[in-house]
Amino acid sequence: MFVQRNEFEVESFRNANILVTGGAGFVGSNLVRRLVELGANVTVLDNFFTGFKENLTQLPVQIIDGDVEDGELVKRLVQTSEYVFHLAVRNIIVSTKEPMKDFLTNVGGTLNVLQACLAEKEHIKRLVYTSSVSIYGNAKYLPINEDDPKTILNPYAASKLSAENYCMAYFETYEVPVSIVRYSNVYGPNQRPENPYCGVISKFIASAFSNSPLTVYGDGEQTRDFTFVDDAVDATVRAAIVSPGLVFNVGSGVETSINSLASTVISIIGSKSSVQYVDKRDIDDVRRRVLNIDLARRVLRWSPSTSLIPGLKKTIEWFESKKDEQQ
Ligand SMILES: NC(=O)c1ccc[n+]([C@@H]2O[C@H](COP(=O)([O-])OP(=O)(O)OC[C@H]3O[C@@H](n4cnc5c(N)ncnc54)[C@H](O)[C@@H]3O)[C@@H](O)[C@H]2O)c1
């Protein structure tokens, strides 16, 4: 069955013209690699705010150094695309500091993409928007279902939910074929610690390698649902080839505490690091998070294939390969 699904993906994307916004970023660059492997002609639109050209080294893609806020540019690029994966974003930390800028990129940029897809509706096969579990805030029920209440705790979550709502509005009103994936704490290769806004796993690995303390906010018993990037990419690609108008949780379905994550990273690396507890963060102060991923399992015929320890080992190997390159 797995082989058949892969063949289906290959057929869908072989020679297809695909635009990936935010394609030089962490998830975007992993997605671009997968699409290239599937035989697609990929164009990346990225302003390199948190993206890195090195993430796309040796990939035969067209790179446009530009902004999703530039509606004319987005329109021009969508004109020659059959699929659009829209990942460009200003992250949660920057968003909280500059909510207006967040709005312009995360909401305005998404509207530019939607307008362009509407204008080119005849040949757009799918727009996939990558949303975030941050829209659930401190969830009332666990595991979190897609239609559970949304609680907006910061401007980033507001912008992600707003962009989702615009996506669904364009689907319902104008039949722009949109799919939405809601990622939970993605980690893996290309999540660079040089990016000050990278996720907790990258920060922990970087600290563990240098035997410096791993900083934990609060008591460390808060939980997250960590998703290996290849699994997130797999779900994202599949979301482009099922019926449009659906929203999918994308996670591992497994709840992991930050304390347990810290000790696992320290033990895999064999580090001498300790854990340093500091006051809990003002942003993303969510106690427990784990997703119900049944809808994605059923409709996308997807399931996460890399659990935390193998995923951490692959990520750590990638860190080591980067260190070797620098020496
Ligand atoms: N990484 C996660 O854990 C996670 C969790 C939930 C949702 N997401 C979503 O996944 C997507 C990718 O996130 P990521 O972790 O790869 O982040 P990232 O910061 O690595 O990637 C975002 C990319 O967008 C680019 N960008 C920013 N502003 C832009 C603009 N105005 N025009 C063009 N490009 C711009 C950045 O340079 C970067 O390359 C985002 O939509 C994010 O909301 C990620």
Side-chain angles (χ1 to χ4, degrees), residues 21-29 45-52 55 66-69 86-91 101 105-106 129-134 156 160 181-187 190-191 195 197 199:
T21 76
F26 159 48
V27 182
S29 57
L45 171 62
D46 203 298
N47 70 353
F48 297 94
F49 179 63
T50 47
F52 294 84
N55 285 344
D67 205 302
V68 288
E69 291 175 39
H86 177 41
L87 287 83
V89 81
R90 284 173 73 94
N91 61 69
K101 191 72 186 115
T105 298
N106 298 6
Y129 176 66
T130 57
S131 186
S132 164
V133 292
S134 62
Y156 172 78
K160 295 303 285 185
V181 283
R182 282 185 195 140
Y183 296 149
S184 178
N185 291 75
V186 188
Y187 71 98
N190 288 4
Q191 192 170 42
N195 172 0
Y197 317 110

Side-chain angles (χ1 to χ4, degrees), residues 65-79:
D65 187 346
D67 205 302
V68 288
E69 291 175 39
D70 180 347
E72 283 308 311
L73 173 64
V74 171
K75 205 164 147 192
R76 224 172 40 245
L77 296 175
V78 169
Q79 263 166 10

Side-chain angles (χ1 to χ4, degrees), residues 188-194 201-203 205-207 209 314-324:
N190 288 4
Q191 192 170 42
R192 293 173 183 271
E194 306 95 281
I201 289 186
S202 282
K203 287 189 178 135
I205 294 175
S207 301
F209 267 126
K314 286 183 187 176
T315 311
I316 288 164
E317 274 167 24
W318 175 79
F319 265 75
E320 277 169 335
S321 72
K322 292 287 121 195
K323 276 200 307 189
D324 292 347

